[in-house]
Amino acid sequence: MPRTERQFKDIRELKRSQIMDSALHLFAQKGFDSTSINMIAKRAGISKGLIYNYFESKEDLITILIHNGFDKFFTEFDPNNDGVLTDLEFEHFIDKTFEVLKSNLHFWKLYFMVMAQPQVLKLVEKKLMELIIPLLTILSEYYTSKGIENPMAYARFFGAMIDGVCLNYIVDPENFPVEEIKQIIKNKFI
Amino acid sequence: MPRTERQFKDIRELKRSQIMDSALHLFAQKGFDSTSINMIAKRAGISKGLIYNYFESKEDLITILIHNGFDKFFTEFDPNNDGVLTDLEFEHFIDKTFEVLKSNLHFWKLYFMVMAQPQVLKLVEKKLMELIIPLLTILSEYYTSKGIENPMAYARFFGAMIDGVCLNYIVDPENFPVEEIKQIIKNKFI
Amino acid sequence: MPRTERQFKDIRELKRSQIMDSALHLFAQKGFDSTSINMIAKRAGISKGLIYNYFESKEDLITILIHNGFDKFFTEFDPNNDGVLTDLEFEHFIDKTFEVLKSNLHFWKLYFMVMAQPQVLKLVEKKLMELIIPLLTILSEYYTSKGIENPMAYARFFGAMIDGVCLNYIVDPENFPVEEIKQIIKNKFI
Amino acid sequence: MPRTERQFKDIRELKRSQIMDSALHLFAQKGFDSTSINMIAKRAGISKGLIYNYFESKEDLITILIHNGFDKFFTEFDPNNDGVLTDLEFEHFIDKTFEVLKSNLHFWKLYFMVMAQPQVLKLVEKKLMELIIPLLTILSEYYTSKGIENPMAYARFFGAMIDGVCLNYIVDPENFPVEEIKQIIKNKFI
DNA sequence: TATGAATGAGCCTTCATTCAT
DNA sequence: GATGAATGAAGGCTCATTCAT
């Protein structure tokens, strides 16, 4: 009996996600250029050629990987965007950030790889902006509501700081005192 | 008659620094793997082969570049390390950091490339640790003197935050409100 | 639909042996260093890159070529190794040696190239010893059975003499009186 | 006071022989292609460029090296070539051969490298023939005088055998029983 | 859909040789 | 005579991508 269309779709999606898992892992571990298509295929348990059945190119693959990660990340923060962050929502936002950081180490490695590699950054710059700007806007509004004079600078500063903490955590997750730092942030920024 | 020793030395120093300039620029602009030895040579106005007269390998070249940058950077912060940072010294430290950041954009791009590329990070990890640990120690002592409970976490947080600010500045120097953020940092952390 | 496993195996075996033929020919004709991978590929009618699909490196290629030749050669001399060479077996051994020499000129050129090139010798020294020692042992036993006083020296001498004859034949196969010399050897050594 | 012409000549000859020593040593140890002009210069304690003041090219250098060795070798065997080798002279010839072999290991390594490397052999083939033919002639005459039927085959065989013994000695001088073998040769061939 | 053989551009590196000084 | 900086061709090797099956 031939497979149903549904089954085909399931297989395709399974393969696709196997490839993406493999690629995410390897890119994060070894970097973009040092990871070959062959390695990704091997780790995914498929053949080299098949990857091109699911992705157009290596660049396409990393681009989709990053877009994907962004979407997952920002979806989590979909506050009922009625108006302005409350303090409670803000605290929740911070908690969530650290949660996501710890459970998606690979993706965050990729993210910083991207920020630091002009060649790769170009591929996702646009998307990154699309996502970050609303976030900065929300933060900025939060600070406005707190009566702060230069709310956008505050927002960008907050974002940068989070970046820095994530980066340091990623480079040395064993020793970076991430819990204490979360507390410090809460005390200082809420 | 051969050139005098002095002449040889001058030539070597000039060429070496031309190569390093060229390499720093290109690595920062395009990343490590995407910069070829050939491009470095062309930009330095010399032949490919000559680079190997001055550096053992491409890895050697970037390693030296980074060590160099580290040394330059940390030399600037040689406070009369008699004991503990005063508030004034701390403020000066922050000013200096931003000053150095703005005038060595290329190096700092390189620095974050390094942090984010496992393959390159390995080359300079040891040196990086050697330099960062004393810095963290000084910061930690500063926070101890302020009566803060968890000074090392504070120190690491401060370091991470600076990293994040630098990273954001580097990615988009035109629009990042670096001056305002410096003020925010001073207000919040001194 | 991918090729069957059988088809892949056939392709691989064919190509592999094409490459080895080409390499053997060229190494024997021009020497190891003077033969480029590109030349081997061209002569085999394939692309440079493909060679690395079959051999890890140029050194790997020559190593396998030599091991291969050794194995073929020594397999031919698998006398029913019950005990000691009879005179008849010894004569047969000599005949065989010359037969093999004449029909595998390329391999023997390679063999002497190896003996004379430290850099290549290192690659196959171990294997060479493994094969030669049993041969010398058999010869030594033969001479012992003949009541000769210093049988191992005799064995090594015999081996060396054969080497010399082969070497001279290889350098100038047209003019070297190999048949007459075979007779001389039989008269003198059996 | 400027150097006299004689002094200049002495310096030139000294340098030249330093270069040749260095080259002989390295070629014998590492092979022709694996020895760079730079290594030769370093070992000779001079600069790379100076070598080209004494030799036209790397090929020229090895050619001269080999011609030189040949000349030295064959000069030693200058028997008062009045007519035919006596048995005593033949024994002396054998002794001399082994003596020369043991005291000029480097040269003999070079010699076999040459025999085995077509690319290098071409450079010295002509000279080699010029020297070997008279030697073979003398040997041939010796065997003629002994009433042997096929004296030239005998002569070539003897030459080949000596080659083989030398080759084996060179590859493993520690363990090759060269003295015993000399005796075997004397017993068998005089 | 799936395979892996095949290509070829491009990379890092070496090195004989030249040449200004 | 002497130096070593400089060149550039050539080599080994990798790898994204294509394609016949």
Side-chain angles (χ1 to χ4, degrees), chain A residues 117-119 150 163-164 168 180, chain B residues 29 34 117 150 163 168 180:
Chain A
Q117 288 216 7
Q119 154 211 23
N150 195 344
D163 276 349
N168 275 266
E180 285 98 323
Chain B
Q29 189 181 100
S34 302
Q117 289 216 3
N150 196 342
D163 276 348
N168 275 265
E180 287 96 326

Side-chain angles (χ1 to χ4, degrees), chain B residues 47-62:
Chain B
S47 75
K48 202 171 28 167
L50 192 57
I51 290 183
Y52 292 87
N53 209 319
Y54 292 85
F55 300 90
E56 284 185 4
S57 65
K58 200 183 170 189
E59 293 201 342
D60 184 45
L61 176 51
I62 198 174

